[in-house]
Amino acid sequence: MRLRIDSDVRNWHREARQALGSNARFVREERQGLLILRQRTPAAEAALAFLLPDPDQAFDHSHILKPGSRSHVGVVEIAGVRYVLKRYNCRGWGYRIGNAFRRSRAVRTWLATWQYLVRGIPVPEPLLCLEERRFRLLGRSYILMEFVENAVSLLERWKQLTDTEKVRFGEFFGTLLGTMHRVGMLHGDLKWNNIMVTNEPTLETVRLVDLDGSAASGGCNFPRARKDLNRFLKDLDREEGSVPLRNRVIEAWQKAVI
């Protein structure tokens, strides 16, 4: 497997940054005290109508995936379609002031996700992003993303695999991560719970999730890329402990990253 690269880094950055403005594909607007970034699609428009004026009400009947002080994540249903809604909590005045002149985590994740997508890296597609501010001071922010149906984490899926399947999965992810690093993307937290997969590993059935720590650069930053890979290998070592399989993953990564 080798992803096709049709654009240079400058074009990727330019294309991804379209998601921050209003154009043929995206809408940027302010409504009810919120900055709204969304796709220019009926689905995104319907989702926005469902969430406003209070996005938090969507969690009332959702399946909560991750309650927490920093963020809150649930699976919500809108017009018969399931999505993942993530809220980044406001953590007091220090948080408000410290983020007065920087993008919220939701907007940073929104942009990073489109950086992945324009490069052909499989991540959930985001529909919209909301950012709450008053006099520049940041409050809550939200991102609504595709829900990956019929998928489980790689950690869960791995326990069901035969030895032959483990080799195929390992080489696939070595190649995928090497390709991701070659085109300048860094995930930042490649634990297996952040990799969703169905029965077979393909670009259509795999999604890298939890993209808060992701970054896009001008090319492959090898030391940081190797650190990214090592986080993936940490779970491989814990779950499998096979040196030959570990080496095959690294070899697949090296071939793809160059």
Side-chain angles (χ1 to χ4, degrees):
M1 179 201 71
R2 191 171 181 85
L3 293 171
R4 181 181 176 186
I5 300 175
D6 295 317
S7 309
D8 59 17
V9 171
R10 182 178 300 175
N11 289 335
W12 285 326
H13 282 300
R14 183 184 303 114
E15 187 176 352
R17 286 181 63 83
Q18 290 181 6
L20 298 176
S22 289
N23 46 64
R25 293 188 59 194
F26 300 99
V27 176
R28 179 189 179 103
E29 60 181 327
E30 293 189 15
R31 195 188 305 179
Q32 299 177 351
L34 296 167
L35 168 66
I36 300 164
L37 303 171
R38 67 172 177 87
Q39 291 194 49
R40 193 181 291 275
T41 64
E45 189 172 356
L48 180 63
F50 178 83
L51 293 174
L52 294 184
D54 179 17
D56 284 343
Q57 54 80 27
F59 290 116
D60 292 344
H61 304 288
S62 69
H63 171 59
I64 302 301
L65 300 176
K66 180 184 176 183
S69 60
R70 295 176 62 86
S71 61
H72 191 73
V73 186
V75 178
V76 302
E77 185 171 319
I78 303 173
V81 180
R82 291 195 291 176
Y83 302 98
V84 174
L85 178 64
K86 186 167 189 174
R87 180 187 69 211
Y88 300 93
N89 297 327
C90 177
R91 301 193 304 279
W93 282 103
Y95 175 86
R96 289 178 180 272
I97 296 170
N99 288 280
F101 296 98
R102 62 183 303 198
R103 293 177 179 134
S104 66
R105 290 176 67 197
V107 172
R108 295 199 301 270
T109 301
W110 167 263
L111 178 58
T113 304
W114 288 106
Q115 293 279 12
Y116 278 108
L117 290 170
V118 299
R119 290 163 167 80
I121 306 298
V123 297
E125 185 171 320
L127 270 77
L128 60 81
C129 174
L130 307 173
E131 184 182 85
E132 178 186 62
R133 289 186 186 270
R134 177 171 292 183
F135 304 111
R136 298 195 66 94
L137 300 181
L138 178 64
R140 301 163 297 176
S141 59
Y142 306 80
I143 188 167
L144 184 74
M145 307 186 79
E146 166 194 13
F147 176 74
V148 186
E149 297 282 357
N150 303 315
V152 297
S153 72
L154 179 58
L155 187 64
E156 181 177 346
R157 184 75 180 92
W158 192 263
K159 303 178 190 303
Q160 306 165 354
L161 300 179
T162 66
D163 288 344
T164 299
E165 290 172 329
K166 288 176 179 178
V167 172
R168 187 169 73 253
F169 270 65
E171 291 183 337
F172 172 89
F173 283 108
T175 302
L176 173 61
L177 299 184
T179 302
M180 178 185 77
H181 293 144
R182 177 166 55 90
V183 298
M185 296 304 301
L186 295 162
H187 184 280
D189 191 14
L190 281 172
K191 58 188 178 185
W192 285 12
N193 277 329
N194 289 337
I195 300 172
M196 305 301 293
V197 62
T198 59
N199 291 333
E200 288 292 329
T202 69
L203 294 179
E204 290 71 35
T205 60
V206 166
R207 296 290 186 274
L208 306 180
V209 301
D210 202 358
L211 309 177
D212 295 1
S214 293
S217 63
C220 180
N221 183 319
F222 193 86
R224 293 183 66 189
R226 186 55 201 253
K227 183 178 179 181
D228 227 15
L229 175 67
N230 286 344
R231 183 60 188 88
F232 177 89
L233 294 174
K234 181 178 179 180
D235 280 358
L236 177 64
D237 293 340
R238 186 181 65 244
E239 294 300 314
E240 198 61 31
S242 168
V243 174
L245 179 54
R246 189 184 205 273
N247 289 340
R248 293 183 75 159
V249 172
I250 294 173
E251 288 171 6
W253 178 82
Q254 290 174 331
K255 289 179 181 179
V257 82
I258 297 174

